[in-house]
Amino acid sequence: MSGTIHIVGAGLAGLSAAVRLASAARSVVVHEATAFAGGRCRSYYDAAVGMTIDNGNHLLLSANHAALDFLASIGAAERLVGPPSAQFPFVDYKSGARWTLRFNDGRVPFWVFDRSRRVPGTRVFDYLPLARLLFPPAGKAVGEVIACEGVLYRRLVEPLIVAALNIEAPQGSAELASAIVRETLAAGGRACRPLIAREGLGTTLIEPALAFLKTRGTDVRMEHQLRAVQFSDGAVTALDFGGEKIALVDDDAVILAVPPYIAASLVEGLTVPTEFRAIVNAHFRIDPPPGQPPILGVLNGTVEWIFAFPGRLSITISAGDRLIDSPREVLAQTIWEEVASITGLPVTLPHWQIVRERRATFAATPAQNAKRPGAMTRWRNLVLAGDWTQTGLPATIEGAIRSGNRAADIVATLP
Ligand SMILES: Cc1cc2nc3c(=O)[nH]c(=O)nc-3n(C[C@H](O)[C@H](O)[C@H](O)COP(=O)(O)OP(=O)(O)OC[C@H]3O[C@@H](n4cnc5c(N)ncnc54)[C@H](O)[C@@H]3O)c2cc1C
């Protein structure tokens, strides 16, 4: 096949598909509705804090091989930074207790046997039920597979699942939680190193991808929103962008890498996830205090994770739907009081911004997970990509990039 491949959506799914196909010298055009690439993973200049910030903190783990390969392809591998070993400092906001989880590198979980490395207040025996999460029965929620109580659950399992699946842990799909546990905890500390785009998501993941595509002559058309798709004889025949209609010829193909609700509005009869969960981020313009770790887990607070960047502390709260309607000033104040108490910084509220992504991810319940379509469609030249397609992972950067790679591979082998 040698026609033009139209990729609709310049989020990470669309960009990774474009990079893979452009690397194989395929003719690619990317169409993005907005004026910026990156979708839900982007940086922008924010006047309230007077600096460029990310829409939300994004954590990758060293297990995210597709994301790391993507970064290597676009020449940005060194822009993701993290500690040499898997360490996760935590603080309990209520009690003030602090500890650091230290996973050992290999697959055998020696850290579980070491009181100074494992979760304080737990015994080796407490970890055994976690094995049930390795191969859970199909279609079950986490709360149906393990007991959602106890110290280990509160201090390790719950924060891990809430962060990775962006859902209240008991409701989360056990299959998706299992995928995370198998690819990270069960794979050993080498797979669990936390990695952060220290200079920002845009500089790390998006701009280098756009620069790479430019060198390959790939046309990336911003503010070019797909409005309708025309079908005939089992194939897409035209893409309608409002003012412009592009007819597909011969072996042209389309990768639709838009969010699920947009895909469903463009392609009749598509089954997609229909429920979502929010993520709330608060950004404060302030120098992190000396010794502040790049990521700090917080239990028993509104705040869940504190990320430290140069000149800024940014806070993440997953499954944040309960905070969507809170007045912004009240939320900023509440969050800052917790952060000030944890970090020892002054209680005076610094310049701040709250970013609430209402549809940050699809709701990772068993029922919604079952609605995720595969990449192939009944239209022979139309392939789907996106973190919401059936990747086997929750909605993550890794899932989005794997879906983009898969879509590119399918298109490359179309007859
Ligand atoms: C606040 C927040 C925090 C997150 N934290 C993490 C994290 O810590 N770790 C992690 O791995 N993941 C995290 N995620 C999830 C991650 O951001 C997503 O999984 C990933 O970015 C999804 O990429 P995507 O390409 O599938 O979709 P999107 O990023 O949604 O991209 C879709 C693109 O399609 C475009 N589009 C829509 N309609 C049209 C149209 N009609 N025509 C043309 N273009 C169109 C959109 O503008 C967008 O650019 C987080 C997400 C959010 C919101």
Side-chain angles (χ1 to χ4, degrees), residues 128-282:
L128 288 179
L130 280 190
R132 282 193 226 125
L133 267 187
L134 286 176
F135 300 101
K140 296 284 184 205
V142 170
E144 296 175 285
V145 175
I146 58 162
C148 293
E149 60 190 19
V151 179
L152 183 67
Y153 173 76
R154 296 278 170 233
R155 290 187 162 183
L156 175 63
V157 180
E158 186 177 35
L160 173 72
I161 292 178
V162 173
L165 271 63
N166 189 32
I167 195 160
E168 305 73 14
Q171 294 178 21
S173 151
E175 283 167 272
L176 294 177
S178 171
I180 295 297
V181 171
R182 274 185 278 118
E183 292 201 10
T184 60
L185 281 186
R190 251 191 296 271
C192 300
R193 281 177 52 233
L195 301 171
I196 293 180
R198 195 173 149 78
E199 303 303 327
L201 296 170
T203 324
T204 304
L205 285 145
I206 310 303
E207 284 149 28
L210 294 176
F212 175 89
L213 292 173
K214 198 168 180 190
T215 63
R216 301 290 163 135
T218 300
D219 191 7
V220 181
R221 302 182 66 180
M222 297 296 178
E223 299 183 82
H224 207 229
Q225 182 180 359
L226 181 64
R227 311 259 173 190
V229 183
Q230 268 180 20
F231 300 95
S232 176
D233 289 337
V236 174
T237 51
L239 298 176
D240 183 348
F241 293 90
E244 184 190 2
K245 195 182 258 189
I246 299 177
L248 268 66
V249 292
D250 304 328
D251 42 12
D252 289 355
V254 178
I255 295 177
L256 196 56
V258 297
Y261 42 91
I262 304 287
S265 72
L266 293 167
V267 180
E268 214 184 282
L270 204 58
T271 302
V272 299
T274 48
E275 289 175 22
F276 300 87
R277 287 291 184 278
I279 298 180
V280 176
N281 275 265

Side-chain angles (χ1 to χ4, degrees), residues 8-14 31-34 36 38-41 55-60 224-227 257-259 262 266 279 281 357 360-361 386-388 395-398 400:
V8 185
L12 281 169
H31 309 268
E32 165 57 43
T34 67
F36 53 85
R40 278 170 283 154
C41 179
N55 65 319
N57 302 316
H58 280 62
L59 178 67
L60 285 147
H224 207 229
Q225 182 180 359
L226 181 64
R227 311 259 173 190
V258 297
I262 304 287
L266 293 167
I279 298 180
N281 275 265
E357 294 270 5
T361 66
D387 63 356
W388 54 276
T396 49
I397 290 178
E398 178 70 7

